[in-house]
Amino acid sequence: MSTAASNSSCIQHRMESTTSPFELLARTAQQLPTRTALEFLPGDLEGAPLEVTYRQLLQEVQRIASALKATGIREDESVAILLPFVPQAVSVLIAASAVAVAFPVNLLLSAEAMRAQLSIARCRVVVTLGPHPALDVHARVVRAVESMPVAPTIIEVPLAGPAHNWEAFLGASTSAFEQPVDPGRVGALVHTGGTTGHPKLARLSLRNMAVAAVMASAGLGIEPSDRLLTGLPLFHVGGAIDGLMAALSVGATVVFPTPLGMRNPAVVQRLWEIVSRYGITVLGVVPTSLAAIRDTPVGTSELAGLRAIMTGGSPLSEDLSQHIQALTGKPVYQLYGMTESSGIATAQSTTGRRAAHAAGLPVPGVEISLGQAGAEYRPGAKGEVLIRGPNVFQGYLTDQGVVGDPRGGWLSSGDLGEVASNGELRIIGRSKDVIIRSGHNIDPQLIEDVAHRHAGVVQAAAVAMPDDYAGEVPVLFVVARSTAEFCLSELAGFMAQQIAEPPARPKGIFVLDELPLTPFGKVARYRLRQLAVERKVAELLADLVEAPAVTCRDPAARRVEIGTREPLTDSLIEDIVRRLRRLDLEMERPGTTI
């Protein structure tokens, strides 16, 4: 048997035999009990990191699982987890999935948004931190639960000081815990959708999570010797599965850069020093974080041990990818997936060799078709990306019940793709209108619903505007009831107050006499995306070209024409092209005179 066939058989066996995150951890702990599983860097980046071995992590998970069982929680009830990068964030996540439903929650949510999600998730226990000088999570959690009909129990984890009931909670632990036996039951809920309104919680089974971890580790080529530095939050599948669980599945070490992760300015400023100091071999960050560190100098930091930078979750411009590779001398690899596919579908293997600007090959166990379910995956194929495999979720939990369950069939991604000549998938657009800001899915209709509640708005439509930091951001186009009485700043304040999650608040609001329509009377969103691109590019070039006339006629809103009063010089064209690349845009032609 060839080595490739042997590896394929081994991966298939791992996927079939690993039924839950707990079992995944238990197997690794049995094989590598003294290997370091987790390292938590101190907030000041000066002291020694806290190290947790696989044996210690398993013991802590068992203890917490037993303590959760002692609360009387049922398998169909959830444990909400609102923690930064602390040891308990990992152990509670795995323990909660073993005895009930793990529900990692975005720390930035307002109290109102938390309450809506906790209610739908049938939350019985909330694990969070006590009052903290830099994180105001605790106060929002208390406000969220106090008005719920049946308030969940709040368990506080000590971080900046003592927590009043953590030790008492652990004291209820017994040795009666048994690992989960039904791999098909829901083990986690992950929020997707983005704003206030009606939350959608993706239902991931125990098997979904376990098999996706094996798929991700195989597709990305994560090795037991790897030390993975990840700033990916654990309330996203990218952080919880593609990063954490994938590494745990092979016995690698996961390093968390302080409790605040990549939101810590000191981590951004000293990232390459951290990589060098802690012997990091793989760096996992979203494109937003890559944009934040694009100007962080490597200096004297030794990066010889770093073999790969991996990213995913939102569009990565080729310009940013090339910039980071030039800065570090290390290849940037991409993966593609979504919450509904447990975070993984395709990936580029972190071999240490330079890779194409694409999303990689289908990972083991995943079927991908383009345009039509069951269509052959081959070079030249184009269309909507369809995904099938044991990693595909079990529908959304909403206030109307469970909806959208593919029941083992094909998952429609809403993304448009094409297969390159080397077999790698390239994402070239979206058939759906979801806005993806830094890996955060934002439903435009929910933004529009808020705008329509404002007395001065007659019509509203939200679309994505390209952004060199976040990939894209939401902007809002409105038709005012009376332009004479309309106040743009007042509407902006209204939107900020009504939309629970900061990433979903429009970064710009533009007033039109009327919204563009299709021949069928529907809002022509493609035209609004073109208008958003025109405004962004005009702003981008304002210091370079006097009153540029920017026109976007491209249906995909990726190419623009630049008109100027005077002919453009070659050097000016090069500068314009360079700036456009940061937004993943192209110039339609060298420029026209107006």
Side-chain angles (χ1 to χ4, degrees):
M1 179 182 293
S2 68
T3 301
S6 177
N7 289 342
S8 177
S9 176
C10 178
I11 293 168
Q12 185 65 33
H13 174 72
R14 288 173 60 205
M15 287 193 293
E16 292 175 351
S17 61
T18 307
T19 58
S20 70
F22 178 85
E23 185 180 6
L24 180 149
L25 170 62
R27 289 191 176 192
T28 305
Q30 182 180 26
Q31 297 166 358
L32 303 166
T34 60
R35 172 77 58 82
T36 300
L38 309 172
E39 283 188 19
F40 296 87
L41 305 189
D44 60 5
L45 293 172
E46 297 302 329
L50 172 63
E51 298 183 1
V52 180
T53 67
Y54 274 93
R55 176 190 289 134
Q56 291 170 331
L57 178 58
L58 177 61
Q59 291 172 342
E60 183 72 357
V61 167
Q62 290 173 317
R63 188 182 183 194
I64 292 173
S66 179
L68 285 171
K69 288 282 284 186
T71 68
I73 194 169
R74 300 201 308 257
E75 282 189 345
D76 61 348
E77 296 174 323
S78 74
V79 179
I81 308 162
L82 291 103
L83 294 172
F85 289 123
V86 294
Q88 294 86 351
V90 175
S91 50
V92 172
L93 176 66
I94 299 175
S97 71
V99 300
V101 180
F103 181 30
V105 179
N106 189 336
L107 300 182
L108 298 178
L109 285 181
S110 68
E112 293 73 22
M114 281 185 198
R115 184 183 304 115
Q117 293 188 21
L118 296 180
S119 297
I120 290 176
R122 302 187 66 217
C123 179
R124 178 71 175 270
V125 176
V126 178
V127 181
T128 187
L129 63 158
H132 188 280
L135 297 167
D136 64 343
V137 178
H138 182 266
R140 282 182 282 123
V141 169
V142 172
R143 291 200 305 274
V145 305
E146 63 187 4
S147 60
M148 292 177 65
V150 180
T153 300
I154 297 178
I155 307 296
E156 295 178 9
V157 170
L159 182 56
H164 76 272
N165 61 357
W166 179 249
E167 291 303 324
F169 166 69
L170 291 181
S173 174
T174 69
S175 58
F177 169 69
E178 297 180 1
Q179 69 181 45
V181 294
D182 179 11
R185 77 165 176 82
V186 175
L189 296 172
V190 183
H191 178 236
T192 184
T195 67
T196 187
H198 303 288
K200 293 195 307 182
L201 308 179
R203 304 162 73 236
L204 303 184
S205 72
L206 294 172
R207 177 162 170 73
N208 285 156
M209 292 186 285
V211 76
V214 175
M215 289 173 172
S217 64
L220 291 164
I222 299 176
E223 302 289 344
S225 59
D226 273 327
R227 292 175 56 79
L228 169 64
L229 179 73
T230 173
L232 304 172
L234 298 180
F235 55 77
H236 281 168
V237 287
I241 297 178
D242 297 334
L244 172 67
M245 292 185 190
L248 297 183
S249 74
V250 297
T253 299
V254 180
V255 181
F256 293 111
T258 81
L260 295 180
M262 294 300 293
R263 297 179 65 83
N264 184 342
V267 171
V268 173
Q269 295 164 7
R270 300 172 58 182
L271 182 65
W272 307 120
E273 173 193 336
I274 294 169
V275 168
S276 174
R277 178 178 176 184
Y278 293 100
I280 302 303
T281 62
V282 178
L283 172 64
V285 290
V286 294
T288 303
S289 297
L290 288 180
I293 62 175
R294 66 176 294 145
D295 296 320
T296 300
V298 173
T300 59
S301 299
E302 177 55 61
L303 303 183
L306 180 67
R307 80 164 194 276
I309 300 169
M310 66 180 191
T311 189
S314 62
L316 172 69
S317 73
E318 188 167 4
D319 175 74
L320 178 57
S321 176
Q322 291 177 350
H323 181 93
I324 294 295
Q325 292 183 78
L327 175 70
T328 62
K330 303 297 178 179
V332 174
Y333 301 96
Q334 299 182 61
L335 61 86
Y336 167 72
M338 60 206 69
T339 304
E340 294 84 349
S341 67
S342 305
I344 194 70
T346 68
Q348 294 179 317
S349 183
T350 56
T351 59
R353 296 187 296 272
R354 192 160 291 244
H357 186 65
L361 300 168
V363 297
V366 167
E367 295 177 76
I368 291 184
S369 290
L370 276 75
Q372 183 178 357
E376 181 185 0
Y377 182 88
R378 55 178 175 73
K382 291 184 179 182
E384 183 182 6
V385 179
L386 305 170
I387 304 168
R388 185 168 69 175
N391 56 321
V392 172
F393 80 142
Q394 297 185 356
Y396 303 103
L397 181 62
T398 72
D399 56 5
Q400 301 299 312
V402 177
V403 299
D405 186 351
R407 299 183 180 276
W410 291 91
L411 168 67
S412 298
S413 70
D415 294 314
L416 298 176
E418 64 180 13
V419 183
S421 58
N422 65 354
E424 290 199 38
L425 178 68
R426 293 181 64 249
I427 303 301
I428 58 176
R430 275 193 296 282
S431 60
K432 294 182 180 178
D433 295 317
V434 171
I435 302 164
I436 302 181
R437 177 178 180 173
S438 304
H440 189 94
N441 289 357
I442 301 169
D443 184 346
Q445 183 170 347
L446 296 177
I447 300 176
E448 295 157 12
D449 288 345
V450 173
H452 283 135
R453 294 204 296 266
H454 188 277
V457 173
V458 176
Q459 290 179 293
V463 297
M465 173 183 278
D467 185 80
D468 60 349
Y469 177 73
E472 52 190 37
V473 294
V475 293
L476 181 67
F477 290 89
V478 299
V479 175
R481 193 172 302 280
S482 170
T483 54
E485 300 175 2
F486 187 75
C487 178
L488 197 58
S489 61
E490 196 274 329
L491 174 60
F494 176 85
M495 300 295 295
Q497 184 179 38
Q498 294 295 314
I499 294 178
E501 296 185 57
R505 295 167 186 164
K507 291 291 287 184
I509 301 177
F510 311 112
V511 181
L512 300 177
D513 292 335
E514 59 183 15
L515 296 183
L517 301 176
T518 70
F520 300 99
K522 295 184 178 181
V523 174
R525 292 182 182 273
Y526 75 92
R527 180 56 189 145
L528 293 179
R529 284 191 287 268
Q530 291 171 341
L531 291 176
V533 166
E534 290 173 359
R535 290 174 181 268
K536 180 66 177 182
V537 172
E539 175 187 326
L540 184 72
L541 303 182
D543 67 330
L544 194 65
V545 178
E546 182 181 355
V550 182
T551 306
C552 179
R553 297 186 177 91
D554 175 29
R558 287 298 176 189
R559 296 191 298 274
V560 295
E561 299 174 24
I562 311 294
T564 59
R565 298 183 184 279
E566 301 292 335
L568 296 173
T569 64
D570 289 345
S571 62
L572 202 53
I573 290 174
E574 289 179 5
D575 202 351
I576 292 173
V577 169
R578 190 180 306 113
R579 294 190 184 195
L580 292 178
R581 281 177 181 165
R582 296 184 65 168
L583 298 173
D584 212 20
L585 301 176
E586 298 175 4
M587 191 189 297
E588 184 75 25
R589 51 180 180 253
T592 57
T593 303
I594 56 175

